Amino acid sequence: MLSQLSIRNIVLIESLDLAFGPGLGVLTGETGAGKSILLDALGLVLGNRADSALVRAGEAQAGVTASFEFATLPHAVAAVLSDAEVVVEAGEPLMIRRSLKADGGSRAFVNDQPVGVALLREIAPALVELHGQHDDRGLVNPRGHRALLDRYAGTDVEGVAQAWDTWRMAREKLDIACAGIEQAKAEQDLLAAHLAELDALEPVEGEEEGLAGARADMQKGEKVAGDLEELRHLWDGSDSALATLRSAARRLDRIASEHPLLAEALEALDRAVIEAGEAEDRLARAAEALAHDPAELDRIERRLFELRALARKHNCQVDDLPETMRGIRSALDAIEGGEAEISSLMESERVAHEIYRARAEVVHANRVTAALRLDEAVAGELAPLKLDAARFRTVVTELPEERWGAHGIDNVEFLIATNPGADFAPLAKIASGGELSRFILALKVALAEQGGAATVIFDEIDRGVGGAVASAIGERLARLASGGQLLAVTHSPQVAARGGTHYMIAKSSEGTVTRTSVMLLDSAGRKEEIARMLSGAEITDEARAQADRLLEGT
């Protein structure tokens, strides 16, 4: 609930610190005293638009701080703050501060941590619910009617939401699989043609390097073929240099024992023969490697051209062609096996749809039953609030399938008809602001709403009524406030007398300076203020006596 409100330099308020408690608190004062300024100041910390005209004349900056205390921070607030990484320690109050500059611009803080104004607007509905003459939110907004009816009926909306998520995910998987199969089928003929082309060529990883090396060797062999042929003659035949060396070695071997130098000469000659033999072997192998075969060279070049052309076609390297071929084969296999997968996904989607539909239909039936009970409960509250000619109806409409969601298959809206024979219309279409406020009060009493905002504010709900109707309004406000916190800005002494706490708003002037102040009244002050509300400018003894009777009656 709202525990403290501090205001600095907002319009006519120079400095104000207010403390609030649970139950019904009433704010009274003469017309024009500045009650709306308090609501404007509170609106700032709830994320309303920052208007520099709110800054008190002559001041550079204004500020408002609101403190809320909870046994446990509301889930909706905790979730938003957690997402924004704003830390609120357990047990400490939630403190919202908003500063506003006279030349424009504002800053917002939650427990001294800077935040965006959008965050304030996001958490505001769980903190304060304001109903006034021009209310276009809260109970008036049709977007919240379904949730209100569900809380009233105790509907299992969580089960429907879970079934919706399961169905949505199953549907998404099916859609993705179908789209993939359709795309694959559209490319199937092309994939088959590519695979046939690759199969015909049968590329092998590492093949390009081997073919390129063989081609390079053949091209070199063509250049050195003449020299190799001449060198071959030096080693071949009985009159070749190598044959002559071997013959000389044999002769020298027969006489090498005759002298040491001959033995050394033989050793040198043997080495020369061995080296020459090795040279002959290498020349033979080089000649074989560099052998120039025009037909084979042509085959190698054609193979290289085909491999490289196919690699360019598939935008890959030649060595990647085998993997490309395996990928295409897998894609074609997936098309063939895709029908079985689609059938399985379709069955899963069908089952999820049936479960969702079954749960949503149970919720629909609960809503319809609860709507009738709510209509009867609201009808019972209308007559005491001088709305006995009015009628209230909760309309539960089944939506087309494309508009189903986590909330179920229904749209819910509260409609009213203010006069006999008049058509039912949305709450926001009511012409009289007073009627609207009283309808909202009747609806809140009928709902006995749990899980709403921590603080509820009614702004001049009693406008244009008095006597028994005002007493009925006061009694219902007190009843609503019994389990929480409700603040009422009122001109009705009957409503003011119901307050557990009473604040009087007054305006004073000193020369050219005008100030608005707020005072928490004691019992004597309450009686005097209620007497003023009863009698006007001059407070009479009769008014004081009547004020006593009103206070005693509460």
Side-chain angles (χ1 to χ4, degrees), residues 23-221:
L24 176 59
V26 296
L27 296 94
T28 65
E30 295 181 356
T31 301
K35 295 184 290 294
S36 63
I37 300 174
L38 287 176
L39 298 181
D40 289 340
L42 183 59
L44 275 178
V45 295
L46 298 177
N48 287 359
R49 186 178 68 88
D51 186 351
S52 59
L54 291 173
V55 180
R56 181 177 170 82
E59 300 294 337
Q61 181 172 298
V64 181
T65 302
S67 182
F68 297 86
E69 294 185 3
F70 305 95
T72 302
L73 197 64
H75 175 73
V77 175
V80 172
L81 296 182
S82 176
D83 289 343
E85 298 182 351
V86 175
V87 178
V88 177
E89 298 293 340
E92 72 173 340
L94 177 68
M95 189 172 296
I96 305 175
R97 177 163 56 91
R98 183 99 178 266
S99 61
L100 174 62
K101 293 183 179 180
D103 57 359
S106 71
R107 299 181 66 191
F109 302 84
V110 173
N111 287 39
D112 292 325
Q113 300 164 73
V115 298
V117 176
L119 182 142
L120 301 186
R121 286 194 289 269
E122 199 170 351
I123 65 176
L127 300 176
V128 176
E129 183 180 320
L130 173 63
H131 301 293
Q133 294 292 306
H134 306 288
D135 192 357
D136 59 353
R137 297 174 296 177
L139 298 182
V140 175
N141 192 334
R143 285 182 295 182
H145 292 176
R146 182 171 47 228
L148 289 170
L149 181 62
D150 285 340
R151 283 203 291 268
Y152 180 75
T155 304
D156 179 21
V157 289
E158 184 176 347
V160 173
Q162 291 173 350
W164 165 259
D165 287 340
T166 301
W167 179 33
R168 180 178 52 82
M169 291 175 62
R171 191 169 52 190
E172 287 179 359
K173 288 182 179 179
L174 177 60
D175 290 344
I176 292 171
C178 287
I181 289 295
E182 288 302 315
Q183 182 179 357
K185 283 185 176 179
E187 299 174 354
Q188 187 173 17
D189 291 342
L190 181 61
L191 290 173
H194 285 332
L195 184 60
E197 192 175 34
L198 286 163
D199 278 339
L201 196 60
E202 295 183 1
V204 177
E205 189 173 348
E207 181 180 10
E208 181 187 26
E209 183 179 359
L211 290 171
R215 183 183 65 174
D217 287 345
M218 283 192 178
Q219 289 171 339
K220 293 174 185 176

